[in-house]
Amino acid sequence: MPIRPDLQQLEKCIDDALRKNDFKPLKTLLQIDICEDVKIKCSKQFFHKLDDLICRELNKKDIQNVSIVLISFGRCSRNISILGQVGLLTLIKQGLVQKMVAWFEKSKEVILSRGNSKDEAVINMIEDLFDLLMVIYGVNDEGKKQVVESFIPRICALVIDSRVNICIQQETIKKMNAMLDKMPQDARKTLFNQEMLILMNSMGERILDAGDYDLQVGIVEALCRMTTEKQRRELACRWFSMDFIANAFKGIKDSEFETDCRIFLNLVNGMLGDKRRVFTFPCLSAFLGKYELQIPSDEKLEEFWIDFNLGSQTLSFYIAGDNNDHQWEAVTVPEEEVQIYSIEEKESKKLLIIILKNIFKISKREGKEFIFYFNASLEITNVTHKIFGANKHKEFNRKRGISVAKTSMHILFDATGSQILVPESQISPVTELVSLKENPNSQKEFVKPPEYIKNSTQGDRKTSQSEIITPSKRKMSEASMIVTDAEIFNLRSPLHSSETR
């Protein structure tokens, strides 16, 4: 097996950073391509040096240095050899997973010290930590077992902690679902204990106030993955006090996860009324520049849903993917990337026009302007103000030949997830809306929804400051994809960690 002299400096680079506080050698090392057949020899003391360096930088709260060390180790991890043995296996035996638990706890202290604000450096560091964790998870069954037992409860606790920024919670829940998908059957049994049952109950409650549809989906997916279908039927009534909500959850099938989860979450968010933190509206059509965006091809998906997320201050939706492997593609428009927006009525439709600061890319399509067409009766102005800010709203003053009487409409969802428009004058006050934390016996009567005009054509820091790339394409079976360490750690360099995601 060939030995690259420059890569043999890995442990020396760690020494320089630890003893001289010199991280330049590690940064230089990151720019070297690593081949699978390259062998990197390290001493038995390498493990302790690595731990001392990461703990020191975490105590100093030097987030970028922590990322440099994590990425450097992650990229080289499968090539490391210690005393002639496979390095990662030796490190796992030495207690690497337990050390990573300590790194995680120290990282959580940093997260909480920064408050609920969105801190790109901290988000990147957590991503780097979990990328390394996924490499260890894929080494062998012992690595999987240790990671599941040590990290699943901690990730659940992080996701339900309202002090933690939503972006961090989104990243951790995605990694957790990836672990759960490849989890050995015997490891699932270790999760079914009193501590996890309490955490699962809290995760069910977290769905109500998550404030982001993608995070809600991630929590639902995790609950489904951590339990068998039989356990799900038994526990759903504990997680959700209202019978029709619990029944909707029990109706989620793995094979139809996206559409079943949409029905469930539309029902949950709709029944919260004005207390909800995710507002969902059916869209007639959507465009990115000159490109029309198509609804995912699924016979159970009846509407092109657009989610207005108050917690994450984003607008998000799913579109049809480019191939059979990626049938659902997630698109997220964050507030910080919006330059200006307008809302106007035209030809009995309501238009939401969003002008972006940078080019937005969705696969081969790109543009700097989103246009969404809604039914004119939908009230989207207030929630759009809450997400993107009233200061970015460009008022359109046009002369009108006639006065138009407007009626504020509310969207409700019945037990099947179908949307219903109800005039504000016909809806009860907020105090009379059904609360999911109550146990009402009375049943609500819903009016028949009107016919909608449908469009005839409907059926990671990896971003530079000049463009926005859409989030990864997700499907329940796909969100759990395990990626090799080479693919994970070659995606980016921490030297540019200050760039906008």
Side-chain angles (χ1 to χ4, degrees):
M1 182 178 290
I3 297 177
R4 285 268 299 277
D6 46 6
L7 285 175
Q8 291 312 300
Q9 303 301 312
L10 172 63
E11 187 165 359
K12 183 180 184 303
C13 291
I14 295 293
D15 282 332
D16 288 343
L18 186 61
R19 298 173 184 175
K20 304 176 184 178
N21 202 33
D22 182 6
F23 285 83
K24 290 181 181 179
L26 275 177
K27 293 178 183 179
T28 302
L29 189 65
L30 286 175
Q31 301 175 28
I32 300 174
D33 292 329
I34 302 176
C35 300
E36 290 184 6
D37 58 351
V38 170
K39 187 176 181 182
I40 304 174
K41 291 183 178 180
C42 293
S43 70
K44 193 175 181 180
Q45 288 72 41
F46 173 78
F47 173 62
H48 300 289
K49 295 175 183 178
L50 178 70
D51 179 49
D52 289 345
L53 179 58
I54 292 179
C55 288
R56 188 190 73 184
E57 297 306 308
L58 281 169
N59 289 334
K60 290 165 53 181
K61 294 184 172 58
D62 196 326
I63 306 307
Q64 186 160 341
N65 281 347
V66 175
S67 285
I68 291 171
V69 180
L70 290 172
I71 296 175
S72 301
F73 175 51
R75 290 182 72 241
C76 299
S77 57
R78 288 189 182 274
N79 301 77
I80 293 175
S81 172
I82 299 177
L83 299 179
Q85 303 295 318
V86 177
L88 269 183
L89 294 178
T90 302
L91 292 171
I92 290 172
K93 291 178 181 178
Q94 286 183 310
L96 178 58
V97 175
Q98 288 71 32
K99 289 296 184 184
M100 290 194 69
V101 169
W103 302 347
F104 177 83
E105 293 298 339
K106 287 180 179 293
S107 298
K108 187 173 181 179
E109 292 176 10
V110 174
I111 291 171
L112 296 178
S113 71
R114 303 296 172 94
N116 200 266
S117 59
K118 185 176 180 180
D119 189 318
E120 291 291 341
V122 174
I123 293 170
N124 293 336
M125 179 192 69
I126 290 297
E127 183 179 347
D128 297 331
L129 179 63
F130 277 98
D131 284 345
L132 175 58
L133 192 66
M134 294 306 295
V135 172
I136 297 168
Y137 187 83
V139 171
N140 59 10
D141 286 344
E142 179 59 28
K144 285 185 176 66
K145 184 173 181 294
Q146 289 188 29
V147 169
V148 167
E149 292 178 353
S150 299
F151 278 91
I152 296 299
R154 287 177 168 83
I155 294 175
C156 290
L158 190 74
V159 169
I160 64 177
D161 193 334
S162 60
R163 299 171 297 173
V164 177
N165 181 266
I166 282 181
C167 294
I168 293 175
Q169 294 176 329
Q170 288 174 326
E171 180 63 30
T172 54
I173 198 73
K174 286 175 184 176
K175 288 297 191 293
M176 185 173 88
N177 282 322
M179 295 176 197
L180 292 172
D181 180 59
K182 302 296 181 181
M183 181 175 61
Q185 285 297 322
D186 57 339
R188 188 192 297 269
K189 297 176 183 178
T190 64
L191 293 178
F192 217 70
N193 53 53
Q194 190 61 33
E195 178 191 9
M196 283 304 303
L197 288 174
I198 294 173
L199 286 170
M200 288 181 197
N201 288 342
S202 298
M203 289 179 73
E205 293 180 2
R206 177 63 174 145
I207 292 173
L208 307 183
D209 61 3
D212 181 86
Y213 182 80
D214 193 52
L215 179 58
Q216 288 180 313
V217 171
I219 295 173
V220 172
E221 183 178 338
L223 290 174
C224 290
R225 289 194 182 281
M226 287 189 289
T227 55
T228 63
E229 188 175 336
K230 180 180 178 181
Q231 292 168 339
R232 207 179 304 170
R233 289 197 299 268
E234 296 171 353
L235 294 171
C237 293
R238 298 187 192 178
W239 299 338
F240 312 104
S241 60
M242 298 181 69
D243 288 342
F244 67 94
I245 296 294
N247 289 334
F249 180 83
K250 287 186 281 188
I252 297 175
K253 301 181 182 64
D254 292 353
S255 60
E256 302 288 344
F257 180 79
E258 286 80 9
T259 48
D260 288 348
C261 190
R262 168 60 73 182
I263 292 171
F264 169 71
L265 290 176
N266 278 2
L267 187 63
V268 169
N269 293 324
M271 289 298 99
L272 286 170
D274 289 344
K275 296 179 181 178
R276 59 187 153 170
R277 302 190 69 213
V278 176
F279 287 76
T280 300
F281 298 100
C283 177
L284 301 175
S285 59
F287 294 82
L288 172 61
K290 64 181 181 180
Y291 301 99
E292 182 170 8
L293 305 175
Q294 302 296 331
I295 185 173
S297 179
D298 193 309
E299 60 182 15
K300 292 185 67 177
L301 189 64
E302 298 179 352
E303 300 285 359
F304 193 163
W305 299 109
I306 309 295
D307 300 302
F308 293 72
N309 307 296
L310 300 188
S312 59
Q313 288 190 281
T314 61
L315 182 147
S316 62
F317 52 97
Y318 290 89
I319 63 171
D322 290 335
N323 53 59
N324 292 332
D325 292 332
H326 300 293
Q327 296 178 359
W328 292 66
E329 183 166 359
V331 181
T332 301
V333 184
E335 178 274 331
E336 60 266 26
E337 295 297 341
V338 174
Q339 181 174 322
I340 196 169
Y341 67 92
S342 64
I343 300 172
E344 59 176 308
E345 288 191 22
K346 185 177 181 181
E347 298 177 355
S348 301
K349 297 178 182 178
K350 189 166 289 185
L351 278 67
L352 171 59
I353 303 171
I354 301 174
I355 309 297
L356 302 165
K357 297 177 181 178
N358 304 302
I359 296 173
F360 199 106
K361 286 190 175 181
I362 304 176
S363 300
K364 298 178 182 179
R365 295 153 291 186
E366 64 179 39
K368 286 191 68 176
E369 178 185 74
F370 276 107
I371 302 178
F372 300 93
Y373 290 81
F374 295 94
N375 189 293
S377 60
L378 296 179
E379 177 48 64
I380 64 171
T381 303
N382 289 338
V383 68
T384 308
H385 283 179
K386 290 179 180 178
I387 292 174
F388 296 141
N391 61 317
K392 293 184 179 182
H393 184 200
K394 179 181 179 181
E395 296 287 347
F396 279 79
N397 298 315
R398 298 188 310 275
K399 294 181 179 179
R400 297 178 181 271
I402 56 172
S403 61
V404 180
K406 296 183 180 180
T407 302
S408 294
M409 305 293 288
H410 286 254
I411 284 192
L412 295 180
F413 297 89
D414 61 16
T416 67
S418 298
Q419 83 286 352
I420 297 164
L421 292 182
V422 183
E424 189 173 41
S425 59
Q426 296 181 18
I427 198 165
S428 302
V430 175
T431 54
E432 295 179 12
L433 288 173
V434 180
S435 169
L436 294 181
K437 294 185 179 180
E438 298 173 357
N439 230 332
N441 295 319
S442 60
Q443 302 229 347
K444 296 283 181 182
E445 183 177 345
F446 296 92
V447 297
K448 184 179 179 181
E451 293 295 324
Y452 288 112
I453 303 172
K454 293 190 180 182
N455 188 291
S456 60
T457 60
Q458 285 186 6
D460 317 299
R461 181 179 359 169
K462 305 167 181 70
T463 307
S464 70
Q465 292 183 344
S466 62
E467 62 181 33
I468 310 167
I469 308 298
T470 58
S472 58
K473 303 166 184 176
R474 82 179 301 283
K475 196 174 172 74
M476 183 173 181
S477 58
E478 177 199 341
S480 50
M481 180 174 57
I482 302 296
V483 189
T484 66
D485 54 312
E487 292 171 320
I488 290 174
F489 292 102
N490 282 326
L491 289 175
R492 56 181 168 71
S493 166
L495 304 185
H496 305 291
S497 62
S498 61
E499 293 182 354
T500 305
R501 285 171 76 93

